[in-house]
Amino acid sequence: MAIEFKPSPSLPPPVNSVGAVAWVRQNLLSSPLNVFLTLFSFYILYLLIPPIIEWGIVGATFTGASKADCTGDGACWAFIGVYFKQFMYGLYPSEETWRINLALILLVILLGTYAVKTVNKLYLSLVILVVYPVIAYFLFAGGVFGLEIVETSLWGGLFLTTLLGVVGIVASFPLGVLLALGRQSKMPIAKSVCIVFIETIRAVPLITILFMASVMIPLFLPEGMNFNKLLRVLIGITLFSAAYMAEVIRGGLQAIPKGQYEAADAMGLTYWQSMILVILPQALKLVIPGIVNTFIGLFKDTTLVYIVGMFDLLGRIQAATHDANWLGMTIEGYAFAGFIYWAACFGMSRYSMRIERKLETGHKRN
Amino acid sequence: MTNTNMARAQLAQGEEAIIEFNDVNKWYGDFHVLKNINFSIKKGERIVVCGPSGSGKSTMTRCINRLEEHQKGTILVDGVEMNDNLKNIEAIRKDVGMVFQHFNLFPHLSILENLTLAPIWVRKMPKKQAEEMAMHYLERVKIANQALKYPGQLSGGQQQRVAIARGLCMQPRIMLFDEPTSALDPEMIKEVLDVMVQLAEEGMTMVCVTHEMGFAKTVADRVVFMDAGEIVEANEPHEFFDNPQHDRTQMFLSQILNH
């Protein structure tokens, strides 16, 4: 009679390989070099953190109306408080800023609606991408329903930064996808157009594009015909970022095995069906880190609009540090700007990691 | 009479060809990969294509649904010529199911979504009906309990059975198999072959590139042997295995049968 094969039972791992003690041993104290690096890092933190807390919190002044109120030897956050509205809204008339807040609240509510299960996601997306921008534009610019007209030259601060960033991101993404597909296309003309566009835009600094958009284009346009500078700058930023986006997405498209294209073709899917249903969902998921990288870069690049005389968050802060009544507030101003940009970019990064985890469907085998 | 015998009987009465190769030639750059292929496959026929690697057997099979383009000669599938006409190609692809060596399931979709994708988007079938049909085919390949999993969570043999079910969901008139068991562990080959045998017994037109000679013996109506881009020999299985005409065929058979 044959011997019956019985797999041996699985045993739990040894105690010293799990838990907090094991973590410290493995990660902080695993070798003499590691012990040294751990101690050295703690020493650096000891040197840096107490002075920062001393300057920024313990010795800092938080309230006040003028520089004279800042009597402590730490930071003078009163400066931020006094200028806060300008940092947020630029020169937007203060009795009208509720319009910006309303648009923001509306957006938050619409985005929150995604969590409601009974809502049709496709219609909701259409509302957010088509209807909402129109509403937001009229809220910001005014001129209808008795809303006072606010010139775009008055738009500024974090409001302008967010506007440039969000519009740039939302518009450059689909454009980048199209450019990437175009560059992969078998049609020679579409392919050449995409290659020339991508390579030209990538070879030029953003400052040049912004300068072209704001100064050069009006020179070439016939007299009397002109369109808004903010719009020109938005188009410039979008095209710039789309070129980078296209190359990131192309990387994703190339990483998809040929078999996936063939399986989609063999089923009789059309080109657009196979791209939208099979290839892009996989390719975009692969390059989420690269896409978010481009988004974050774009968001920070919007600070360059100061070169064409627009005052975004950083522009407003710089202008405020030149106020004769508040001289010497540069560090506070830049620390504040740094914090806002960091919070926004860190938020994007964490959000993208969440999406990546959500889209994880087990390791790929083909 | 069994299904298989009935199909053979119909064949003998000379049913019309569903796939026809006429003087087909293909090059990869300077490499002449298919040379003057003349071959026709009748409706309901089960063809096994074998030969050494690089002999053009996969390429020939992939020409049938134009995953590969040929440069000379004509291929007629169901009376439609395979040329640059995109409409023709898409129409034929609806009727030709294909199973690949590496399964090529879509990793971002669940098993059920893999199966319903083409019926919904190509055949314009309502979602509910497509899902019912998908479950029916998943049951046939004995894997219905995995419908909501993702391909990455299944074994190779299970994935290949899903791939066969996916092909069947288009309710094709022809099924192409491109080395369906070559990427599988020995223990999984049988479960896939069982499904293919079952399919063959139901009278599906099949073109199967494989080295599974046992499968060829039991299932094939004709075995095609290719080498260097040419069809060396094509014959009924017992003739092919017991009495190969060509010395190249004899050498190939002695290589793969005596190890």
Side-chain angles (χ1 to χ4, degrees):
Chain A
M1 203 182 109
I3 303 166
E4 193 189 345
F5 171 70
K6 260 195 201 155
S8 318
S10 302
L11 301 174
V15 182
N16 63 0
S17 67
V18 289
V21 177
W23 187 90
V24 170
R25 274 177 156 216
Q26 278 170 16
N27 294 291
L28 300 181
L29 308 170
S30 62
S31 69
L33 177 66
N34 225 329
V35 172
F36 168 74
L37 286 177
T38 302
L39 292 176
F40 184 69
S41 308
F42 278 120
Y43 177 65
I44 297 280
L45 290 178
Y46 164 75
L47 284 186
L48 286 179
I49 294 195
I52 290 177
I53 293 176
E54 176 63 32
W55 176 80
I57 298 171
V58 179
T61 313
F62 287 91
T63 51
S66 72
K67 201 183 170 188
D69 294 328
C70 289
T71 48
D73 48 4
C76 180
W77 299 121
F79 164 69
I80 306 294
V82 167
Y83 270 102
F84 190 73
K85 267 206 130 158
Q86 235 186 59
F87 291 167
M88 293 297 110
Y89 307 108
L91 299 180
Y92 209 87
S94 41
E95 63 276 16
E96 302 290 336
T97 52
W98 61 269
R99 284 152 54 172
I100 296 173
N101 297 339
L102 179 65
L104 181 67
I105 292 167
L106 198 59
L107 184 61
V108 171
I109 292 174
L110 281 173
L111 292 176
T113 316
Y114 272 113
V116 183
K117 283 213 162 55
T118 51
V119 175
N120 185 323
K121 302 262 183 327
L122 185 69
Y123 291 141
L124 183 59
S125 305
L126 278 179
V127 168
I128 291 178
L129 291 175
V130 180
V131 181
Y132 176 77
V134 177
I135 298 174
Y137 171 76
F138 283 114
L139 271 174
F140 296 153
V144 285
F145 303 120
L147 290 174
E148 193 188 318
I149 293 178
V150 181
E151 295 289 338
T152 52
S153 55
L154 299 177
W155 301 11
L158 184 60
F159 164 53
L160 181 64
T161 299
T162 314
L163 184 77
L164 292 170
V166 170
V167 174
I169 284 170
V170 172
S172 68
F173 180 67
L175 193 57
V177 171
L178 288 179
L179 285 169
L181 290 177
R183 192 166 185 171
Q184 297 280 76
S185 153
K186 283 187 193 135
M187 290 179 285
I189 294 185
K191 187 174 175 155
S192 324
V193 169
C194 291
I195 291 179
V196 169
F197 177 87
I198 292 170
E199 296 302 340
T200 310
I201 297 275
R202 280 203 311 170
V204 177
L206 180 57
I207 287 194
T208 316
I209 291 176
L210 292 176
F211 194 71
M212 285 277 292
S214 72
V215 182
M216 306 279 281
I217 289 179
L219 292 181
F220 296 128
L221 287 175
E223 198 146 340
M225 188 185 149
N226 202 352
F227 63 104
N228 189 283
K229 180 160 92 175
L230 176 63
L231 184 62
R232 279 178 274 143
V233 164
L234 269 174
I235 292 173
I237 288 178
T238 302
L239 295 182
F240 182 78
S241 153
Y244 282 86
M245 190 67 68
E247 287 299 279
V248 170
I249 293 168
R250 190 167 68 96
L253 291 174
Q254 280 175 343
I256 302 301
K258 205 169 153 236
Q260 294 287 314
Y261 291 87
E262 287 179 349
D265 283 349
M267 286 179 160
L269 294 176
T270 64
Y271 173 79
W272 288 108
Q273 281 174 339
S274 86
M275 286 303 138
I276 293 170
L277 298 168
V278 176
I279 305 300
L280 282 174
Q282 297 183 58
L284 294 179
K285 188 191 124 188
L286 274 179
V287 293
I288 287 175
I291 292 174
V292 174
N293 216 6
T294 312
F295 283 168
I296 288 178
L298 162 72
F299 184 70
K300 292 188 296 183
D301 280 351
T302 58
T303 51
L304 290 174
V305 295
Y306 84 91
I307 204 90
V308 295
M310 295 170 82
F311 288 87
D312 68 330
L313 176 63
L314 194 66
R316 272 288 137 223
I317 290 176
Q318 273 176 326
T321 57
H322 294 149
D323 183 341
N325 298 321
W326 287 95
L327 286 177
M329 291 296 143
T330 336
I331 300 179
E332 283 85 345
Y334 283 130
F336 180 67
F339 174 74
I340 301 265
Y341 281 106
W342 177 82
C345 296
F346 186 67
M348 280 195 251
S349 156
R350 301 307 294 190
Y351 182 66
S352 79
M353 286 165 82
R354 233 186 72 187
I355 295 181
E356 272 185 84
R357 269 201 303 277
K358 210 171 118 188
L359 296 177
E360 188 54 56
T361 59
H363 54 278
K364 284 211 300 194
R365 303 181 84 121
N366 51 5
Chain B
M1 236 195 301
T2 65
N3 271 341
T4 319
N5 288 340
M6 223 146 76
R8 287 209 170 112
Q10 281 170 357
L11 203 71
Q13 290 159 15
E15 232 186 279
E16 60 186 300
I18 194 166
I19 303 169
E20 265 182 273
F21 284 77
N22 295 312
D23 284 323
V24 172
N25 280 273
K26 176 174 173 60
W27 290 262
Y28 287 129
D30 286 338
F31 180 56
H32 199 168
V33 60
L34 292 180
K35 298 172 188 161
N36 288 323
I37 302 289
N38 279 294
F39 192 64
S40 74
I41 298 168
K42 296 189 177 69
K43 207 175 154 201
E45 225 184 344
R46 276 127 314 167
I47 304 291
V48 164
V49 185
C50 59
S53 56
S55 61
K57 53 194 193 304
S58 281
T59 309
M60 183 181 84
T61 309
R62 290 153 58 88
C63 280
I64 296 173
N65 62 354
R66 210 170 167 84
L67 285 183
E68 303 281 355
E69 292 173 21
H70 58 284
Q71 281 101 24
K72 241 180 95 184
T74 54
I75 299 175
L76 293 176
V77 181
D78 221 1
V80 178
E81 192 183 339
M82 301 306 274
N83 50 23
D84 285 335
N85 187 332
L86 217 62
K87 280 266 176 302
N88 282 353
I89 297 170
E90 276 165 15
I92 286 304
R93 282 174 176 171
K94 281 184 203 177
D95 280 335
V96 180
M98 179 143 196
V99 175
F100 298 87
Q101 181 177 0
H102 296 288
F103 331 135
N104 296 354
L105 295 178
F106 304 134
H108 63 300
L109 300 177
S110 71
I111 301 304
L112 192 61
E113 289 165 336
N114 263 281
L115 266 69
T116 55
L117 187 77
I120 290 175
W121 291 94
V122 180
R123 288 243 186 263
K124 313 288 179 205
M125 195 183 273
K127 189 174 175 217
K128 197 149 181 272
Q129 194 189 338
E131 282 177 354
E132 277 165 18
M133 186 184 64
M135 289 310 293
H136 164 74
Y137 283 115
L138 281 177
E139 263 156 41
R140 270 190 47 183
V141 300
K142 301 186 182 65
I143 209 160
N145 53 342
Q146 315 274 18
L148 298 179
K149 287 195 178 167
Y150 286 92
Q153 298 168 301
L154 267 52
S155 74
Q158 291 174 321
Q159 288 196 52
Q160 194 60 299
R161 284 185 282 150
V162 170
I164 295 173
R166 180 173 74 174
L168 293 175
C169 269
M170 285 301 282
Q171 296 170 313
R173 295 152 58 82
I174 302 165
M175 280 290 278
L176 308 177
F177 294 84
D178 188 1
E179 305 208 24
T181 55
S182 303
L184 296 176
D185 292 341
E187 284 186 325
M188 294 170 180
I189 291 179
K190 189 176 172 297
E191 63 184 53
V192 171
L193 287 180
D194 284 347
V195 171
M196 290 169 63
V197 170
Q198 189 194 353
L199 200 60
E201 284 171 351
E202 287 164 16
M204 172 75 75
T205 309
M206 288 166 74
V207 179
C208 183
V209 178
T210 185
H211 296 120
E212 295 295 330
M213 289 303 129
F215 177 78
K217 275 179 192 165
T218 49
V219 168
D221 294 307
R222 275 188 293 164
V223 182
V224 175
F225 173 66
M226 290 183 74
D227 188 28
E230 288 176 81
I231 294 181
V232 179
E233 192 165 345
N235 219 331
E236 287 174 31
H238 64 92
E239 277 290 308
F240 180 85
F241 288 108
D242 301 340
N243 188 18
Q245 302 296 307
H246 216 281
D247 58 348
R248 181 68 188 90
T249 319
Q250 287 169 10
M251 201 172 85
F252 178 77
L253 287 175
S254 69
Q255 298 273 358
I256 63 167
L257 294 177
N258 304 327
H259 66 81

